[in-house]
Amino acid sequence: MRIVIALGGNALLHRGERPDADVQKANIDRVATAVASLARDHEIVITHGNGPQIGLLAVESSADPALSAPYPLDLLGAQTQGMIGSLLARTLHDVLPAQRIAALVTHTVVRADDPAFKRPTKFVGQVYSYSQAKTLARRLRWRIGQDTTGWRRVVASPTPERILEAGTIHDLLSLGTLVICAGGGGVPVVADPATGALSGTEAVIDKDLTAALLAEDLKADFLLILTDVPNVYTDFGTPRQRPVLDATPAELRRAGFAEGSMGPKAEAAARFVERTGGIAAIGALDAAYEIVHGRSGTLVRPEIPAA
């Protein structure tokens, strides 16, 4: 079975942890264990988030006196792909020594006129108090927004239209390679309508939506979205909280999950199932094997046609 795994940004940095390299190296051991349990029997493609990492690099770049201007988000995203891809490849090599592994810097085409550029919604970087966020927003010309834990930077998150390296990823899979790609949703680029020339753009693409598009392009059987909760929940964080164990795309959408948290994951799972007839699931990293075998997580399945 061909499985595309979308790792949440918390796979390397949990909420509240210091963004030190040693912390990320330690956390990635859990990722390797989870992936290895599936890689021995299935074709695996791994995508990953980069919210904490790109936020850290953006702050450092903005404060660097040697630069005349901060690095744009597309180049910072490429840097995070290299760093996280290297950490994943090295750790997976240790637990799967006979497995071919490749980490690929990946570009995702978006539309220059995507409405998301006028309405930033994607949270990146660490959580701040309101006063800290307001100061940074004024000094760095950021836009800020409130998520469930505090105030964070928000940036444009355009819809992924096309993954440039999808053909290369397919070829690598045919050679038996475990591929790490599309980190942070891919490096966001726009194509000149006349020449096709590519240019980077100031955005961070949602990694789950890119994973769904990639899984569709690769004709994957299963899209596995891993996060820090065991299931999707309705009324999350309230006394009415209930786990969703099984749902169709329409049922997921009707639940109205928050745009800044579970919403993109639910939408990515729904799109993949609708467009391919495959299966998607959302659940906890440490339960990856159990999720694929139907013993954990939230399963998203196609609608059953009426008789």
Side-chain angles (χ1 to χ4, degrees), residues 9-50:
N10 53 24
L12 275 74
L13 279 174
H14 305 153
R15 287 185 182 271
E17 286 185 328
R18 295 179 63 87
D20 295 338
D22 287 345
V23 172
Q24 297 185 63
K25 290 176 184 176
N27 286 338
I28 214 159
D29 288 340
R30 292 175 57 231
V31 175
T33 300
V35 171
S37 68
L38 295 170
R40 295 184 179 94
D41 299 313
H42 305 286
E43 292 183 332
I44 300 295
V45 176
I46 300 174
T47 72
H48 58 80
N50 70 342

Side-chain angles (χ1 to χ4, degrees), residues 7 16 19 26 31 33 40 42 67 84 120 139 146 193 198 255 280-281 292 307:
L7 297 173
V31 175
T33 300
R40 295 184 179 94
H42 305 286
L67 297 176
I84 298 171
R139 179 166 64 87
Q146 188 174 23
L198 300 175
V292 170

